[in-house]
Amino acid sequence: QAAFDGYDACLIALPKDAQVAEQTLYASSGKEDGLYIQLFEHVFRNVTAHSGPGVQFMVEVSFVLVGNDKNNSSSNSSSGMVYDLLCTKTGRLGKPLAMQPSPLDSGAARPTGHTAEVVSSEAVMLDLLQRGRALRQQLCQVREVLRA
């Protein structure tokens, strides 16, 4: 609801493994749609309901994968790596995003340089979701091979 009151909003979901992610986030058949599908429907239902003279909405989407790469020799961080799942730039695919320290000196960090796309419909959001899902699956496979 905060997004419709003028604030930025974010869905963060951290399933414990790829199978749980598939069932919880992406499911589009069976008893219940996944969280992403439910969110997209809710967002655009509310955009339609709240639109009118003098009211504009901009929906911007990013998808990232937070990887638990504690054993990655190139990183001393236990917080893992963050990957852009909408990246289409050659040379950046599959590479972790740079992290920027929080200005609040809380020890937190946020990714920088990730892709953000403005979407105008639920269908466009679903296309981006499928693109992100495909890259996520590729990254997960590569990371499994590297751990072996």
Side-chain angles (χ1 to χ4, degrees):
Q1 183 58 43
F4 295 99
D5 293 334
Y7 297 96
D8 290 342
C10 178
L11 168 68
I12 298 175
L14 298 171
K16 72 176 193 172
D17 62 40
Q19 184 177 8
V20 172
E22 285 294 317
Q23 295 168 350
T24 306
L25 301 177
Y26 297 100
S28 60
S29 61
K31 295 180 185 176
E32 190 173 319
D33 287 334
L35 285 176
Y36 287 142
I37 307 296
Q38 292 177 47
L39 175 68
F40 299 166
E41 290 172 350
H42 178 75
V43 165
F44 283 100
R45 188 172 38 248
N46 276 291
V47 164
T48 301
H50 290 88
S51 292
V55 178
Q56 294 181 347
F57 290 95
M58 181 179 77
V59 179
E60 187 177 80
V61 176
S62 296
F63 291 113
V64 296
L65 170 67
V66 178
N68 186 5
D69 291 344
K70 290 181 183 179
N71 297 325
N72 185 335
S73 61
S74 66
S75 171
N76 293 327
S77 170
S78 62
S79 61
M81 303 292 217
V82 179
Y83 301 91
D84 185 349
L85 295 182
L86 295 181
C87 179
T88 58
K89 295 179 182 172
T90 304
R92 274 199 45 217
L93 290 173
K95 292 186 179 177
L97 293 169
M99 299 299 285
Q100 178 180 16
S102 170
L104 301 176
D105 196 30
S106 64
R110 60 187 172 105
T112 61
H114 58 282
T115 305
E117 301 220 10
V118 176
V119 296
S120 57
S121 70
E122 187 178 339
V124 173
M125 251 177 155
L126 289 171
D127 287 343
L128 291 175
L129 176 66
Q130 292 309 317
R131 190 169 98 197
R133 185 180 189 184
L135 185 54
R136 178 187 157 278
Q137 290 170 340
Q138 290 173 4
L139 285 171
C140 287
Q141 289 171 354
V142 168
R143 290 172 61 227
E144 284 300 316
V145 168
L146 293 176
R147 282 190 207 137

